[in-house]
Amino acid sequence: MSNRLERRKNASILRAGLNSAKYRCLACEKANLNRNKEHFWPRWLIRFAEATKEPVSWLGKDLPAEAVQIPLCADCNSAFGHDLEGPMSELLPRISVGQSVTDPECELLVRWLWKFEGLAWNAFNFHRSEARYSSKFSLRERVIGKDSIQGIRGSLVVAMALAHRNDPGLHDWSLGMDSGLGTHDAIFASGVFRNVAMMVSFADFARLIPPMFSTYQLAGERQVSGALVLKPEFVFPLVSDAEIVTARGSGRLKVEHERFGERQNTNSALVTNRPRLEIPHPALRTMGS
């Protein structure tokens, strides 16, 4: 009964947030703009994960993945497609077969995961007038802005691991985020997409990333040499193994990122309505407990 009540409560909160998005875009936060309906899971990703048979939970209902939509202004919808989804639709299939990636491609993975986390956070919180995605950027500025990652780039770690095959008897491969929504943290994000498990973490907590993941700490400045810096390995027998390990590892990582974000916000002289961890303060960097 408690699980049912919790699902109903979450669905009610999400509906309130999406109703508020009728007046403000979930991505740029501007009001009175023409709206499009953006697929939360892009169509190319649904096709890639073959996620067409099993429903997902949305607004208290079980719906096909393609039916899960959120309102964005036309400009943000187009920008996300051009800057994130287009490149990712070419990159993720290469990763899924074990191909290595470059430093700029790791940055793309970071921004792509942040997009999902940010859209979900805004959808759940837009009904609160004081809520802001972060103290520095709108979601759009954060995930596609050229300057939004400067100063923190060299403190980010990307981690990936691959599953050999889907579970017997299942048609759909994995499609979902595992990192949950935080109050103070806007750094950590994780998920499994088809057979690719991935995470983005603050470097101080990289020791908590499950050891079977291959990791790469981004360079302080974007590298243009084209050098391959991270090769994902096939380490999980089945997709369900990737999901279990990613979910379990994400729990501890999210807790540590939340603690760090809370400490930073408590000690910050900058007072904001809804602070979330953006640029780590050097004095507050810690390995956690």
Side-chain angles (χ1 to χ4, degrees):
M1 183 65 173
S2 59
N3 289 338
R4 184 182 303 172
L5 291 175
E6 187 68 21
R7 287 196 299 270
R8 288 176 178 173
K9 177 182 177 181
N10 288 339
S12 177
I13 293 173
L14 182 55
R15 277 193 293 268
L18 293 177
N19 284 335
S20 297
K22 295 177 181 178
Y23 309 101
R24 283 193 300 153
C25 174
L26 281 178
C28 66
E29 302 181 10
K30 295 179 180 178
N32 301 320
L33 300 176
N34 292 329
R35 299 286 185 274
N36 281 345
K37 285 191 174 181
E38 164 85 345
H39 289 84
F40 186 84
W41 304 119
R43 285 175 173 170
W44 73 263
L45 183 59
I46 295 171
R47 292 192 298 269
F48 177 65
E50 300 180 55
T52 58
K53 300 291 186 182
E54 299 173 17
V56 297
S57 179
W58 186 254
L59 294 178
K61 301 178 181 179
D62 290 334
L63 299 173
E66 192 165 344
V68 178
Q69 298 179 340
I70 53 176
L72 294 180
C73 74
D75 189 50
C76 286
N77 198 354
S78 176
F80 283 165
H82 180 271
D83 292 358
L84 294 178
E85 301 306 336
M88 278 300 302
S89 69
E90 298 178 359
L91 177 61
L92 193 58
R94 291 199 288 109
I95 293 173
S96 72
V97 295
Q99 292 189 20
S100 301
V101 297
T102 65
D103 177 87
E105 288 171 336
C106 285
E107 179 182 323
L108 175 62
L109 291 170
V110 169
R111 292 177 180 273
W112 188 66
L113 285 174
W114 281 352
K115 174 203 166 187
F116 287 128
E117 191 274 345
L119 286 176
W121 192 92
N122 276 347
F124 271 91
N125 288 279
F126 243 39
H127 65 288
R128 297 191 295 115
S129 60
E130 76 279 7
R132 288 201 59 206
Y133 167 70
S134 83
S135 60
K136 292 180 177 291
F137 306 107
S138 68
L139 174 60
R140 173 176 174 156
E141 292 168 339
R142 179 88 184 294
V143 300
I144 63 175
K146 292 182 179 179
D147 299 327
S148 62
I149 204 169
Q150 296 304 314
I152 194 175
R153 196 181 195 279
S155 298
L156 299 175
V157 171
V158 171
M160 290 191 290
L162 305 177
H164 284 276
R165 63 187 67 87
N166 201 2
D167 289 66
L170 293 184
H171 174 275
D172 292 23
W173 293 65
S174 190
L175 178 66
M177 296 289 288
D178 293 293
S179 45
L181 301 179
T183 300
H184 304 282
D185 168 49
I187 296 293
F188 179 71
S190 67
V192 184
F193 306 93
R194 191 176 173 90
N195 67 322
V196 183
M198 61 177 71
M199 299 180 175
V200 53
S201 171
F202 185 43
D204 281 1
F205 307 120
R207 62 185 176 84
L208 299 177
I209 295 173
M212 64 284 295
F213 279 70
S214 301
T215 62
Y216 169 70
Q217 185 168 345
L218 274 67
E221 298 291 334
R222 201 168 193 261
Q223 304 298 294
V224 296
S225 65
L228 299 175
V229 298
L230 176 60
K231 178 175 174 55
E233 301 292 345
F234 286 90
V235 297
F236 299 113
L238 300 173
V239 166
S240 60
D241 299 318
E243 293 172 339
I244 291 170
V245 171
T246 303
R248 288 177 177 173
S250 295
R252 178 72 189 280
L253 279 157
K254 191 64 177 180
V255 167
E256 294 300 328
H257 281 78
E258 279 287 298
R259 288 175 177 171
F260 178 82
E262 185 175 17
R263 287 196 297 271
Q264 177 179 344
N265 294 329
T266 300
N267 288 276
S268 176
L270 176 64
V271 178
T272 61
N273 287 331
R274 203 280 173 181
R276 295 219 296 171
L277 176 62
E278 289 285 353
I279 307 298
H281 191 290
L284 295 173
R285 294 185 63 175
T286 174
M287 292 299 292
S289 58

